[in-house]
Structure formats: C-alpha cells, structure tokens
Amino acid sequence: MKTTHQEIVEYWSRHQDECGLSVDWSEAEELCWRCTQKRSLQRCHIVPHALGGSEEPNNLVLLCSQCHAEAPNVADSEFMWTWLRSHAVSFYGSYWYSRGLQEFEFIYGRKPLSRFFEKNESSLLPKLNTIISKYMNQTNTHWGQGQINPATIAWLLRQVEIELENDTSINS
C-alpha cells in the first residue's frame, strides 16, 4: 500500500518546521511544496528508491511533476530540505515568475526593465500591463504544466523591453 498524501503531510508537520518553506502545512496536501502551484502532486522520494530510500512518510515529500523532475536524487536526506528552502518564495504563485527573472538575467546578463525603472517613469506600470497582456497571448505552457516556464517568462520580459524601447513617449 502506498503512503498517502495525508500521511506524508501529517508526518512532516510533526517533524519539520514550515518556517522557510514555500508552503505551510495547512495547505501541503494541495500545493506543491516547492512552487506552491495547485497541481496534481506526486510522492517524491527524499532518498531515491534506487539509493535505498523507503516508501515511508519520512522519505517522501509532495511535488508537482515539474518540480519532481528537478528534485535532487541523492542519498543525503537533509539536502531535500535545503533545496526546498532555497527555492522558497514569499508569495504563493510567484515561484515560476521569480525563476523567469533569473532566466532573463542568465540569458541577457542584466536585470530586466532596469533601464526603464531608472527613469522613475510614472506612466510605466499601465504600459507594462498593456504590453504583457499583448504578449501573453503569444505564450503557452508545455503539456501537463500549469504555468509558463522560466524561459517563456524571460522571452516575455524581453518583448516588453523591446516595446518600451520603441515607445517614443518614454524615450523622448
């Protein structure tokens, strides 16, 4: 018999402080413990079965398929908690956008939109909303993923920059 999601959450709520995690224990059966997206959750081994990990609650966490694919596969049971805490975000639903900002910086070697925020342009936010809405219609998710990925977010941010660079009301 497989360990249930409820058994996993009950175990960890007694043995692991939720401080520094993305999700709190009251919603840990519904939200991915890394990205906090409400997706179908998978039982992820802390120590992989192939490295001697058990099917007991003390060796399982709940992750969406995307985060499960990126989870560590090591025999060090403490590293899972280090990894989960290092990816924690302050606001539910912001994890993949945060990763998109990191992806942009990796690709372009700078922070997105920094040139425009330096001008302290008061009309920038309404323009950003309009441009983002325009380009969101040109994005999609991979099958089975509930959120656009970091590379797509980086592309979206670059399109916003290009539009703003061409906006004569900002650049005059």
Side-chain angles (χ1 to χ4, degrees):
M1 181 174 108
K2 287 186 176 183
T3 304
T4 67
H5 290 192
Q6 182 179 9
E7 290 170 326
I8 295 166
V9 172
E10 285 176 3
Y11 176 84
W12 287 116
S13 68
R14 292 188 315 271
H15 293 90
Q16 191 68 233
D17 188 351
E18 68 187 12
C19 184
L21 295 174
S22 286
V23 67
D24 61 55
W25 295 129
S26 67
E27 297 176 290
E29 281 186 68
E30 300 173 12
L31 303 175
C32 174
W33 294 12
R34 180 187 186 212
C35 73
T36 69
Q37 295 297 308
K38 191 171 189 171
R39 299 179 180 173
S40 177
L41 299 179
Q42 300 176 352
R43 298 161 52 256
C44 174
H45 290 87
I46 294 171
V47 173
H49 192 264
L51 295 175
S54 74
E55 299 291 328
E56 298 300 315
N58 68 345
N59 191 49
L60 299 167
V61 296
L62 300 176
L63 301 175
C64 68
S65 62
Q66 192 168 1
C67 290
H68 192 174
E70 294 184 22
N73 289 300
V74 298
D76 178 356
S77 61
E78 288 302 312
F79 186 69
M80 178 65 77
W81 298 103
T82 301
W83 180 75
L84 287 171
R85 284 189 166 82
S86 72
H87 286 276
V89 292
S90 300
F91 301 105
Y92 281 4
S94 65
Y95 176 78
W96 292 107
Y97 294 99
S98 174
R99 287 279 306 273
L101 293 171
Q102 292 170 351
E103 184 78 358
F104 184 97
E105 288 183 47
F106 179 77
I107 293 168
Y108 296 105
R110 60 183 170 76
K111 294 193 179 299
L113 305 170
S114 56
R115 181 180 92 116
F116 301 101
F117 285 114
E118 289 170 2
K119 293 183 177 187
N120 200 15
E121 178 65 43
S122 62
S123 63
L124 189 57
L125 289 179
K127 289 179 185 203
L128 285 174
N129 286 333
T130 301
I131 297 167
I132 289 170
S133 295
K134 173 184 173 181
Y135 285 99
M136 280 298 290
N137 292 329
Q138 297 178 38
T139 69
N140 203 347
T141 61
H142 285 287
W143 186 88
Q145 303 299 324
Q147 191 72 26
I148 60 175
N149 65 26
T152 303
I153 294 167
W155 173 86
L156 177 66
L157 290 168
R158 183 60 188 132
Q159 300 316 301
V160 170
E161 284 188 336
I162 291 168
E163 287 264 339
L164 291 175
E165 287 166 359
N166 294 325
D167 187 328
T168 56
S169 66
I170 291 176
N171 296 306
S172 51

